[in-house]
């Protein structure tokens, strides 16, 4: 089976919350896409409950696109400790961490339920499983700790 970089990362050595560049890949025509690890909570110590994580996912989909051109996707890890962000072209981890900080600050301070996109039976695959309250509480915790642009040392933006 193909070896996947993310599974070679020593998850006991990282210091969340952080942004890490996983890889930049070049397509046959020279286009580049970058894949980031947006680690919001410490692996094997915390995990964001699914309802809050689900609401954060729906909000990051819009809030990161507001700030970064070329966002392809931002999807949660199965371990519920963070998200993959995939973009056309490459941003520095500092730029991504700053955009993430702005997005989480908006979720904590400004977002109301009516702002959350895709919360109906037609627009979401599990529309009953959302919690803006949980999303806001986890964003508060993540922002209190600060988002680092490096995974192994704390260098907050
Ligand atoms: Zn959904």
């Amino acid at each position: 089976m193909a070896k996947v970089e993310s599974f070679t990362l020593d998850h006991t050595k990282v210091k969340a919350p952080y942004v890490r560049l996983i890889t930049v890949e070049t397509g046959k025509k020279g286009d580049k896409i970058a894949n980031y690890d947006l680690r919001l909570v410490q692996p094997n110590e915390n995990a964001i409950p699914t309802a809050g994580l689900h609401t954060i996912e729906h909000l990051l989909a819009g809030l990161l696109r507001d700030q970064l051109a070329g966002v392809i996707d931002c999807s949660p890890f199965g371990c519920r400790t963070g998200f993959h962000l995939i973009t056309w072209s490459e941003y520095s981890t500092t730029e991504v961490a700053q955009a993430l900080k702005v997005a989480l600050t908006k979720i904590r301070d400004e977002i109301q339920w009516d702002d959350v996109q895709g919360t109906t039976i037609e627009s979401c695959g599990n529309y009953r499983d959302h919690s803006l309250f949980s999303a806001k509480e986890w964003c508060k915790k993540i922002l209190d700790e600060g988002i680092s642009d490096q995974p192994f040392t704390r260098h907050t933006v």
Side-chain angles (χ1 to χ4, degrees):
M1 197 186 301
K3 281 280 179 200
V4 177
E5 190 276 348
S6 292
F7 300 134
T8 67
L9 175 74
D10 186 343
H11 287 67
T12 68
K13 298 284 194 292
V14 299
K15 296 183 168 99
Y18 67 78
V19 171
R20 181 176 70 94
L21 176 66
I22 298 172
T23 182
V24 178
E25 301 203 15
T26 306
K28 287 179 185 159
K29 296 183 176 173
D31 288 321
K32 289 185 189 305
I33 64 164
N35 182 9
Y36 300 88
D37 166 0
L38 310 185
R39 191 72 58 163
L40 302 185
V41 299
Q42 187 63 28
N44 300 301
E45 290 180 13
N46 263 311
I48 301 174
T50 54
L53 189 75
H54 190 190
T55 303
I56 293 171
E57 178 209 347
H58 280 227
L59 288 166
L60 286 181
L63 293 170
L64 290 178
R65 282 180 173 84
D66 288 346
Q67 301 175 77
L68 302 172
V71 169
I72 296 171
D73 188 43
C74 187
S75 296
F77 298 144
C79 59
R80 295 186 281 112
T81 62
F83 290 82
H84 275 293
L85 171 67
I86 299 172
T87 62
W88 289 112
S89 77
E90 185 183 347
Y91 291 94
S92 70
T93 56
T94 308
E95 290 172 307
V96 175
Q98 284 166 342
L100 180 63
K101 183 179 180 181
V102 168
L104 298 187
T105 302
K106 284 193 173 163
I107 296 171
R108 183 190 65 188
D109 296 343
E110 295 174 30
I111 293 291
Q112 302 297 313
W113 179 245
D114 287 346
D115 301 321
V116 185
Q117 299 181 57
T119 56
T120 65
I121 197 168
E122 294 86 3
S123 59
C124 178
N126 192 359
Y127 80 102
R128 295 178 185 88
D129 196 21
H130 276 282
S131 173
L132 182 58
F133 176 83
S134 174
K136 283 179 177 284
E137 287 297 313
W138 283 93
C139 287
K140 186 158 73 177
K141 171 182 161 47
I142 295 156
L143 290 164
D144 285 350
E145 291 168 357
I147 300 165
S148 176
D149 61 9
Q150 297 165 25
F152 301 111
T153 52
R154 298 295 295 157
H155 183 259
T156 56
V157 297

